[in-house]
Amino acid sequence: MENGKNILVAYFSASGETERLARTIASATGGDLFEIVPETPYTAADLDWNDKRSRSSVEMNDPASRPAVASRVADMDVYDAVFVGFPIWWYVAPTIVSTFLEAYDFSGKTVVPFATSGGSNMGGTEAILHACCSPATSWKPGRRLASRASEGEVRRWVEGLGL
């Protein structure tokens, strides 16, 4: 709990890099962790972005794609702020993140996107994610961080958010 707020750190991680960062954010904020797990797990072949027929390529080329999520947050209502993390795929969040956001009412909550990437920035991610939530959702600017960011670096970023 940061500044008396109940915090959830929800993340989708295909390779473990985003999970590493999510765990650091949860440690720095005292937040609870929730992994956004696809109902059908991704295989290495599914994640081959060089193959235009791979599952990830097909999903990312279809803005309406909404891969199913295997489970739900037990009590989303208790959280005031939700950090939502993901790897950058094709300069945006994977479509499963949209599935996650559309499954809940974030009205009155603050959502903070965070991402990992080998070099891409957040691209058009924030506009896409905002469209998945109620206009009554409060947003903090998204940030790409190294998966191995230190807890001190993460803590400074979080403190600067003014949650």
Side-chain angles (χ1 to χ4, degrees), residues 114-132:
F114 67 93
T116 57
S117 170
S120 301
N121 62 25
M122 295 287 279
T125 300
E126 292 187 78
I128 292 167
L129 299 182
H130 289 205
C132 294

Side-chain angles (χ1 to χ4, degrees), residues 28-62:
T29 62
D32 296 333
L33 273 173
F34 177 81
E35 183 177 4
I36 301 168
V37 177
E39 193 170 272
T40 303
Y42 288 93
T43 66
D46 290 337
L47 297 172
D48 182 359
W49 59 273
N50 288 311
D51 178 357
K52 291 182 193 275
R53 294 179 316 249
S54 75
R55 177 176 162 199
S56 60
S57 295
V58 170
E59 289 173 0
M60 296 309 292
N61 282 315
D62 178 6

Side-chain angles (χ1 to χ4, degrees), residues 99-157:
T99 304
F100 172 79
L101 290 173
E102 290 169 352
Y104 303 95
D105 181 3
F106 289 92
S107 299
K109 297 184 187 305
T110 300
V111 177
V112 184
F114 67 93
T116 57
S117 170
S120 301
N121 62 25
M122 295 287 279
T125 300
E126 292 187 78
I128 292 167
L129 299 182
H130 289 205
C132 294
C133 295
S134 156
T137 304
S138 175
W139 290 87
K140 295 292 182 179
R143 178 142 180 212
R144 182 179 66 85
L145 294 156
S147 64
R148 296 185 187 274
S150 71
E151 188 165 329
E153 179 184 353
V154 169
R155 189 176 301 284
R156 285 187 295 279
W157 168 58

Side-chain angles (χ1 to χ4, degrees), residues 6 75 82 89 163:
N6 284 324
D75 194 1
V82 180
W89 287 2
L163 291 177

